[in-house]
Coordinates of all heavy atoms in Angstrom, one line a residue:
E255 N -70.7 -191.4 64.9 CA -70.7 -192.3 63.8 C -71.9 -192.0 62.9 O -73.1 -192.3 63.3 CB -70.8 -193.8 64.2 CG -70.9 -194.8 63.1 CD -69.8 -194.6 62.1 OE1 -68.6 -194.6 62.4 OE2 -70.2 -194.5 60.9
V270 N -58.0 -206.4 69.1 CA -58.1 -205.8 70.4 C -57.3 -206.6 71.4 O -56.8 -207.7 71.1 CB -59.6 -205.8 70.9 CG1 -60.5 -205.1 69.9 CG2 -60.1 -207.2 71.2
T281 N -65.4 -214.7 97.4 CA -66.6 -215.4 97.8 C -66.6 -215.9 99.2 O -67.5 -215.7 100.0 CB -66.9 -216.6 96.9 OG1 -66.9 -216.1 95.5 CG2 -68.2 -217.3 97.2
A282 N -65.5 -216.5 99.6 CA -65.3 -216.9 101.0 C -65.3 -215.7 102.0 O -65.9 -215.8 103.1 CB -64.0 -217.7 101.2
A324 N -62.7 -206.2 80.4 CA -62.5 -205.0 79.7 C -61.7 -205.3 78.4 O -61.1 -206.3 78.3 CB -61.8 -203.9 80.5
M332 N -56.9 -198.2 68.3 CA -55.6 -197.8 68.9 C -54.6 -198.9 68.5 O -54.8 -200.1 68.6 CB -55.7 -197.7 70.4 CG -56.3 -198.8 71.1 SD -56.5 -198.5 72.9 CE -57.9 -197.3 72.9
M365 N -55.7 -210.0 93.5 CA -56.4 -210.1 92.2 C -55.6 -210.9 91.2 O -54.4 -210.7 91.1 CB -56.7 -208.7 91.7 CG -57.5 -208.6 90.4 SD -58.1 -206.9 90.2 CE -56.6 -205.9 90.3
I390 N -66.6 -210.9 71.3 CA -66.7 -212.3 71.4 C -65.7 -213.0 70.5 O -65.3 -212.4 69.5 CB -68.1 -212.8 71.0 CG1 -68.5 -212.4 69.6 CG2 -69.2 -212.4 72.0 CD1 -69.8 -213.0 69.1
D392 N -62.5 -216.5 70.2 CA -61.5 -217.3 70.9 C -60.6 -216.5 71.7 O -60.1 -217.0 72.8 CB -60.8 -218.2 69.9 CG -59.8 -219.2 70.6 OD1 -60.3 -220.1 71.3 OD2 -58.6 -219.0 70.4
V394 N -61.2 -213.9 73.4 CA -61.8 -213.6 74.7 C -61.8 -214.8 75.6 O -61.5 -214.7 76.8 CB -63.3 -213.1 74.5 CG1 -64.0 -212.8 75.8 CG2 -63.3 -211.9 73.5
C426 N -41.2 -209.6 81.1 CA -42.0 -210.7 81.2 C -41.2 -212.0 81.4 O -40.1 -212.0 80.9 CB -42.9 -210.9 80.0 SG -43.9 -209.4 79.6
K435 N -58.6 -225.2 79.5 CA -59.8 -225.9 79.4 C -60.6 -225.5 78.1 O -60.7 -224.4 77.8 CB -60.7 -225.6 80.6 CG -62.0 -226.4 80.7 CD -62.8 -226.0 81.9 CE -64.1 -226.8 82.0 NZ -64.8 -226.5 83.2
K437 N -59.6 -226.2 75.1 CA -58.7 -225.9 73.9 C -57.8 -227.2 73.8 O -57.3 -227.7 74.7 CB -57.8 -224.7 74.1 CG -58.7 -223.4 74.2 CD -57.8 -222.2 74.4 CE -57.0 -221.9 73.2 NZ -57.8 -221.4 72.1
R445 N -45.7 -214.3 82.4 CA -46.1 -213.5 83.6 C -45.4 -212.1 83.5 O -44.2 -212.0 83.2 CB -45.6 -214.1 84.9 CG -45.9 -213.3 86.2 CD -45.2 -213.9 87.4 NE -45.6 -215.2 87.7 CZ -44.8 -216.3 87.6 NH1 -43.6 -216.2 87.2 NH2 -45.3 -217.5 87.9
T447 N -43.7 -209.0 84.9 CA -43.1 -208.7 86.2 C -42.9 -207.2 86.4 O -42.5 -206.8 87.5 CB -41.7 -209.4 86.3 OG1 -40.9 -209.0 85.2 CG2 -41.9 -210.9 86.2

Side-chain angles (χ1 to χ4, degrees):
E255 175 55 52
V270 305
T281 301
M332 53 185 69
M365 182 166 53
I390 59 174
D392 183 64
V394 179
C426 306
K435 184 178 180 181
K437 298 179 70 68
R445 181 190 296 116
T447 58

